[in-house]
Amino acid sequence: MAPSSPSTSVDDARTRVLGPTLAQAVREAKLLVVGAGGIGCELLKNLVLTGFEKIEVIDLDTIDVSNLNRQFLFRAEHVGQPKAVVAKEVVLRLNPRAAKTLVAHHANVKDPQFNMEYFKQVKTLARGNGLRESHGGRKRREQFTLVLNALDNIDARRHVNRMCLATGKAMIDAGTMGYVGQVNVIKKGEAACYECEEKPVQKVYPICTIRSTPDKPVHCVVWAKEAYKLLFGAADASLLYEAPDAPEPSLYMPVVLARPEGEGMEAAVRYGFRVLKALFYDELSARVDRGVYARARVAPCPVPCLGDEGKGEDAWVALVEDGGEGGGEGQEWTREVWTEERCVLELLGVFAALVGDPGRRRDLGRYDFDKDDALAMRFVTAATNLRAASFGIPAQSYHHAKGIAGNIVPAIATTNAIAAGLQVLEALKILRTAPPSVPSSAPPSLPSSTIVDAGCRVNYIVRTYAGRKRLLLQPTKLHPPNPACFVCNRSSLDVVLDTEASTLGFLVEKVLKGSLSFAQPTITLRGTSIIYEEGEDADEAMARRNLPLPLASLPAGGIRDQSTVEVDDVSQDLTLQLHVYHKRWEGGPEGKGDAEAPPQGFLLGGSAKEALKAAAAAAAAQATERQRAQHLYAAEEEVKSTLRVQVNRKRGGEAREEREGHVKRSRVEGRGGNGEEDGSRAVEVIEGEEGKGTTGTEGEGREVGGMGDGGRGAFEPVVILD
Ligand SMILES: [Zn+2]
């Protein structure tokens, strides 16, 4: 586009490129864009330049300085302002004609105002302007023709997916992760919905790998975060915690629990030294002596500078007092890898700060790891590297450790731009097959043809050439809806949990909302007995009464083994038949002490029962393992979407086997989707990343999209509109 051209020339150019019919359809189409971040900025710019004028954009974020390297609508002076509002103002300069029809919402798409009515945008005009239905101070005019997702998390995507299914809107979803990405077109009954395939699950590491046999940097990072929790946070929730009466207690536990003798800096540092010596030297030496590593390829080596051959407690204390505690400032941007001695000093510095400072000491037991907390990251970086040194694993810089600890996947502006471009192409395909436009006074029509007729594709952006045609952009046919999908096909779902120990509150918060993204669930037993409801006019007293009750003790016979529970969500137009199976794991609902207990306390999915059987068989086979080496552990508990769904699903008549922890054809998510897969492959940041971190680890092990997957049809070249 020549900037000096008058707008009529731009229109002429658009008309020549798109043809008069499509150009008009573009001007008249009304779009909902959800998200104005990495993909959203590109998308809004593309849409406006393509000639779209009627756009509503929703985003709840404000602009952070770390966004500026890839969200090109934003400049330094915009930091702190709402993304949706600034994005709208900036793209208006590209097409001032959209001034009255571009609407920005600085809000969460899950807010009640964006309900099904909003998605439908019911048209109520035609009796004079004054009678138009008002919404949020704005007039409702037209239905959305299309919904375009530019979101960075699974939960919001699921919500928009459900709203689009419920209102029959076509949705064009985009997601990127580093160099890979995906653009998918979804419409009820015509193509797979966003939830037809299971999402990548959080990487789950066997606890024995974390506690005893790490062999990758990520294992050490997970261990270091657990050590931080043990020392400064909720100790008994740490993987490294052992009850005082535990069999074969580790040497570090009594030292940790002893807490410092006295107050002040020196006591804190002395305590810190004793803890570090116990963690990194004494316990490891004892394990080697006990023959724990007798069969290991290489026995671990306790950190010498903390042992008897090291300089000793007094010398370390003196070093810290001399100001040798290091400091996390400025570390973020360096690639410096600390020596072992520096690591010890960093750790002692953290003890001095958190235990030695009377103000901070009061919060001991309440610290949560936060990758943006410099003290926490200093601790985790240094502890990771001392742990890694013992096991012959490469050390990490602060920068790389933060990438692993924060599960940061780099967001790359180029990938975002490609994804946003593909979204516009898919939108044009749909509009191209729409019926000729109607006079603006008549109700606008949705395209009557299907998105399949329109030639829509699932587009995979891949990093390396693959397949016969060696394409980096791999369009595949739209996937058919999955008959087993509980969202678009009302299929049922199995859940396995301890019905005697798990409460209704657990079912509502962890299972229904946390894992299944229900917004306002109503739970009905035996067809008629409502035991829980939310939303307007809900019986709150009933909720208060029932939420703390174990499932089996609920009214109307309770939820027991083989109960079927109906879950409705009016706000999402969703009904689910949930088949409940009872299973008691050793050590309570979260199964501490049980090898096969799922970390989140339940198993969910079409084959949760099979998973349970397989788990029981595996447990029997591993009966000789030491008891404490038998948990499963979620590496990142803060991501709510943890689901160990194990799927053995039939699609297209073809049985598809998936092994636990190895999800093929996983969708690509942005931040919050999945963490790194293999911490040993850290990549340099190319153009920034989601979140505020600086590094990502690249999921080399992930199989994105349909690469090498014969079940999805042959790859085709990208369809360029003619
Ligand atoms: Zn579905």
Side-chain angles (χ1 to χ4, degrees):
M1 186 183 81
S4 59
S5 308
S7 62
T8 48
S9 303
V10 177
D11 283 340
D12 288 348
R14 282 189 197 118
T15 306
R16 276 199 300 279
V17 172
L18 300 174
T21 314
L22 183 54
Q24 191 188 346
V26 163
R27 275 195 302 277
E28 292 180 352
K30 179 159 179 183
L31 307 182
L32 174 60
V33 172
V34 191
I39 297 173
C41 279
E42 289 294 319
L43 180 60
L44 287 166
K45 175 259 293 171
N46 290 351
L47 290 171
V48 172
L49 288 176
T50 309
F52 287 95
E53 295 173 8
K54 302 172 184 173
I55 303 171
E56 294 202 17
V57 55
I58 303 173
D59 194 297
L60 82 166
D61 271 347
T62 51
I63 296 160
D64 186 87
V65 70
S66 66
N67 302 143
L68 302 179
N69 62 356
R70 66 190 181 285
Q71 299 179 14
F72 299 125
L73 299 179
F74 308 141
R75 296 287 177 270
E77 69 263 26
H78 296 134
V79 168
Q81 297 181 42
K83 286 186 177 180
V85 174
V86 175
K88 171 197 154 178
E89 285 165 5
V90 175
V91 296
L92 270 183
R93 288 186 225 145
L94 303 172
N95 187 351
R97 230 172 27 201
K100 288 186 178 160
T101 48
L102 249 173
V103 179
H105 303 275
H106 178 217
N108 187 336
V109 70
K110 292 187 81 176
D111 289 347
Q113 75 204 74
F114 305 114
N115 53 13
M116 278 190 278
E117 285 288 283
Y118 172 84
F119 273 74
K120 282 184 203 154
Q121 294 273 335
V122 180
K123 181 167 168 146
T124 56
L125 55 117
R127 298 204 181 190
N129 290 338
L131 288 181
R132 287 183 181 181
E133 190 178 342
S134 158
H135 178 79
R138 280 174 287 276
K139 306 288 182 196
R140 285 191 180 175
R141 286 184 292 271
E142 293 168 43
Q143 300 189 45
F144 288 120
T145 316
L146 286 171
V147 176
L148 296 107
N149 261 355
L151 286 161
D152 62 0
N153 69 86
I154 295 179
D155 191 53
R157 277 193 174 93
R158 282 180 176 156
H159 181 76
V160 177
N161 179 50
R162 293 171 191 189
M163 302 311 275
C164 289
L165 291 172
T167 55
K169 301 291 170 196
M171 173 176 117
I172 305 175
D173 183 70
T176 67
M177 193 184 74
Y179 295 98
V180 298
Q182 175 173 307
V183 172
N184 195 6
V185 187
I186 287 164
K187 196 169 170 208
K188 185 174 175 66
E190 296 178 25
C193 84
Y194 179 70
E195 295 172 80
C196 276
E197 281 185 57
E198 73 283 8
K199 297 295 164 289
V201 295
Q202 279 181 269
K203 183 75 178 172
V204 175
Y205 301 102
I207 190 176
C208 55
T209 302
I210 302 303
R211 284 188 51 133
S212 296
T213 52
D215 60 9
K216 289 175 178 163
V218 67
H219 300 152
C220 300
V221 171
V222 171
W223 184 91
K225 286 166 75 175
E226 291 300 321
Y228 182 83
K229 195 189 292 175
L230 177 74
L231 293 165
F232 310 116
D236 55 1
S238 168
L239 194 59
L240 305 180
Y241 179 83
E242 291 164 11
D245 56 352
E248 288 191 76
S250 294
L251 295 178
Y252 59 79
M253 273 314 294
V255 183
V256 169
L257 294 176
R259 294 302 184 193
E261 293 158 6
E263 305 208 331
M265 195 74 83
E266 186 182 332
V269 175
R270 288 189 182 278
Y271 167 69
F273 176 80
R274 288 194 295 272
V275 167
L276 298 182
K277 182 168 182 294
L279 275 173
F280 293 102
Y281 192 88
D282 297 339
E283 172 64 18
L284 216 46
S285 304
R287 284 167 165 254
V288 172
D289 292 346
R290 276 207 308 269
V292 173
Y293 297 102
R295 282 182 296 164
R297 203 158 33 85
V298 183
C301 173
V303 175
C305 64
L306 287 167
D308 301 330
E309 62 268 51
K311 52 172 69 85
E313 184 174 323
D314 290 339
W316 284 110
V317 173
L319 265 177
V320 174
E321 284 176 345
D322 289 347
E325 77 272 21
E329 290 76 22
Q331 290 297 320
E332 179 123 352
W333 304 104
T334 78
R335 303 293 191 275
E336 182 191 351
V337 176
W338 296 338
T339 61
E340 285 175 29
E341 180 159 318
R342 170 77 185 271
C343 288
V344 174
L345 284 172
E346 290 287 346
L347 291 169
L348 292 176
V350 174
F351 277 99
L354 293 184
V355 184
D357 181 287
R360 283 171 160 152
R361 185 170 174 164
R362 277 198 292 275
D363 289 327
L364 275 187
R366 290 200 288 272
Y367 285 98
D368 271 332
F369 172 77
D370 173 0
K371 68 175 168 44
D372 295 318
D373 172 355
L375 272 178
M377 265 320 300
R378 279 168 62 190
F379 182 92
V380 166
T381 305
T384 294
N385 287 343
L386 290 185
R387 179 85 173 157
S390 299
F391 287 88
I393 298 166
Q396 305 293 310
S397 67
Y398 182 99
H399 173 90
H400 280 127
K402 181 170 174 177
I404 299 171
N407 251 348
I408 298 164
V409 178
I412 295 176
T414 318
T415 318
N416 286 343
I418 295 168
L422 290 169
Q423 279 183 292
V424 177
L425 287 181
E426 294 300 327
L428 291 178
K429 286 183 201 170
I430 294 171
L431 291 175
R432 186 177 54 175
T433 53
S437 69
V438 289
S440 57
S441 60
S445 307
L446 283 175
S448 59
S449 59
T450 68
I451 57 174
V452 178
D453 293 339
C456 291
R457 292 285 183 272
V458 182
N459 298 275
Y460 297 104
I461 304 161
V462 298
R463 188 179 177 189
T464 47
Y465 293 112
R468 203 159 34 86
K469 294 183 180 170
R470 298 176 64 75
L471 297 170
L472 286 172
L473 295 180
Q474 300 185 335
T476 69
K477 285 182 184 141
L478 293 177
H479 309 162
N482 177 5
C485 175
F486 82 93
V487 178
C488 68
N489 273 313
R490 307 272 147 132
S491 191
S492 61
L493 207 59
D494 292 343
V495 63
V496 180
L497 42 63
D498 187 337
T499 56
E500 285 158 19
S502 302
T503 61
L504 180 64
F506 179 85
L507 180 72
V508 169
E509 290 304 321
K510 300 290 181 188
V511 182
L512 298 180
K513 292 185 177 176
S515 286
L516 297 175
S517 297
F518 278 91
Q520 294 183 349
T522 293
I523 303 176
T524 311
L525 286 188
R526 294 175 181 77
T528 52
S529 303
I530 293 177
I531 54 164
Y532 181 77
E533 58 183 0
E534 281 186 31
E536 279 178 40
D537 307 326
D539 184 344
E540 287 174 13
M542 176 178 68
R544 274 197 303 275
R545 216 166 42 238
N546 289 344
L547 280 174
L549 294 178
L551 295 174
S553 313
L554 285 165
I559 300 175
R560 296 161 181 279
D561 190 36
Q562 306 196 27
S563 292
T564 296
V565 177
E566 183 173 301
V567 185
D568 296 287
D569 193 324
V570 177
S571 72
Q572 297 178 333
D573 189 27
L574 195 58
T575 298
L576 167 66
Q577 302 291 328
L578 192 63
H579 300 308
V580 179
Y581 296 90
H582 170 72
K583 161 81 181 168
R584 159 137 304 175
W585 286 286
E586 300 276 325
E590 282 163 44
K592 285 189 174 186
D594 187 326
E596 304 308 325
Q600 67 275 45
F602 59 92
L603 287 168
L604 193 60
S607 57
K609 274 188 299 176
E610 284 85 341
L612 201 57
K613 275 187 218 152
Q622 294 176 357
T624 54
E625 284 281 322
R626 292 177 55 181
Q627 190 186 1
R628 69 176 169 217
Q630 291 185 339
H631 296 268
L632 285 175
Y633 170 69
E636 272 298 328
E637 68 278 5
E638 63 262 27
V639 181
K640 280 190 176 173
S641 59
T642 299
L643 260 176
R644 273 178 71 228
V645 184
Q646 297 181 324
V647 175
N648 185 0
R649 177 188 291 167
K650 290 197 175 194
R651 169 174 290 173
E654 173 188 328
R656 190 154 67 95
E657 297 265 339
E658 295 190 2
R659 276 171 315 187
E660 176 183 339
H662 182 82
V663 182
K664 287 172 69 182
R665 288 197 302 235
S666 47
R667 285 174 195 266
V668 177
E669 309 301 332
R671 175 181 63 195
N674 183 25
E676 44 60 53
E677 185 81 14
D678 177 350
S680 63
R681 274 257 355 187
V683 292
E684 300 285 309
V685 172
I686 305 301
E687 294 181 75
E689 67 292 318
E690 286 306 339
K692 294 172 195 161
T694 52
T695 288
T697 49
E698 183 190 350
E700 283 289 300
R702 289 170 69 86
E703 192 172 344
V704 175
M707 280 197 295
D709 172 13
R712 286 286 162 75
F715 300 126
E716 309 163 26
V718 173
V719 177
I720 305 292
L721 288 159
D722 42 32

